Amino acid sequence: MAYPTEIKQNPLKQWFFIGLLAIWLVLLAGGIIWFQKSYVRPFLQQQDINLLKMDGVQNLYNDVQNRLQLPAGAKIISFWQPGCICNQFSQRHAISLLENLKQNPIPHYTLLTSAVSPAELASFRQLNPGSEVIDASASGLQFPPAPSLLMADNLGQVTYFGPYGFGAFCSQDDANALNRQIGATLHNQAQPFLNVVGQGCFCRSDIAKPLP
């Protein structure tokens, strides 16, 4: 290890430097352990068991569609919990998806699962051009873990459900599979794809409850 000249010449300073480095490494390790325990978890847990089945996901979509009175037709719905530390890891995938949708005429909705101020809502809309951002916190909906997304075709059948990516920092994304689903969904040719098995950084909404 290379030290500055004055540290090399002073053993006391050298040990002080080593002590500071050790403390920094301990704090870093502690932060990683805290992050892993607090946010890195399976996408679906025991209370989300119905979302392992297509019937449960279809019920989720129907509930969202009816309560928010969204227009009929194919659409992508993203679930975001404001203030969730995991958002920053999924943001690049969300931006990439919105860029891809410029070439594919399918509406995109971003549902905020926790209440935000008018200024925060305006900021979300500015940061997500191409998506209709909706504060859905007062809708009484039972939200899945976030960040996640759901896609349905023109017939109202769910064709995709899952997170933006797996891994602690959302590094394992399924962009290719999702892009294929978008094309097939637009032509009502998509087979349902539940991409729900894996661990990553996810937050639960404060009002999330088991689906009936």
Side-chain angles (χ1 to χ4, degrees), residues 79-200:
F79 301 96
W80 285 83
Q81 182 180 342
C84 174
I85 193 174
C86 307
N87 292 344
Q88 58 186 306
F89 307 130
S90 293
Q91 185 67 29
R92 65 186 186 279
H93 301 313
I95 292 173
S96 176
L97 173 63
L98 290 174
E99 285 294 320
N100 179 269
L101 291 180
K102 291 180 180 179
Q103 310 300 323
N104 296 281
I106 181 169
H108 185 281
Y109 300 87
T110 299
L111 305 189
L112 305 183
T113 65
S114 299
V116 294
S117 68
E120 289 173 322
L121 182 58
S123 177
F124 265 100
R125 287 172 173 160
Q126 185 176 10
L127 291 172
N128 294 274
S131 179
E132 182 174 342
V133 181
I134 302 172
D135 182 350
S137 60
S139 64
L141 286 166
Q142 301 167 358
F143 297 109
S148 59
L149 66 156
L150 182 157
M151 180 163 48
D153 62 19
N154 288 301
L155 302 177
Q157 300 300 306
V158 172
T159 60
Y160 183 90
F161 174 64
Y164 279 90
F166 290 109
F169 301 105
C170 196
S171 56
Q172 303 168 21
D173 71 293
D174 290 286
N176 291 333
L178 182 57
N179 290 337
R180 287 194 298 270
Q181 284 295 95
I182 291 173
T185 293
L186 287 171
H187 296 92
N188 296 324
Q189 297 175 344
Q191 295 297 316
F193 179 24
L194 300 186
N195 184 28
V196 297
V197 179
Q199 288 193 333

Side-chain angles (χ1 to χ4, degrees), residues 43 53 63 65 104 106 120 122 153 165 202 207:
F43 177 61
K53 302 178 292 184
D63 203 17
Q65 174 78 12
N104 296 281
I106 181 169
E120 289 173 322
D153 62 19
F202 308 114
I207 62 173

Side-chain angles (χ1 to χ4, degrees), residues 51 56-71 75-79 109-113 134 136 139-144 150 152 158 161 211:
L51 297 180
V57 178
Q58 188 67 51
N59 288 338
L60 168 65
Y61 170 74
N62 293 341
D63 203 17
V64 169
Q65 174 78 12
N66 294 334
R67 293 200 184 208
L68 298 181
Q69 298 183 333
L70 299 179
K75 62 178 67 65
I76 294 177
I77 298 171
S78 292
F79 301 96
Y109 300 87
T110 299
L111 305 189
L112 305 183
T113 65
I134 302 172
S139 64
L141 286 166
Q142 301 167 358
F143 297 109
L150 182 157
V158 172
F161 174 64
L211 290 169

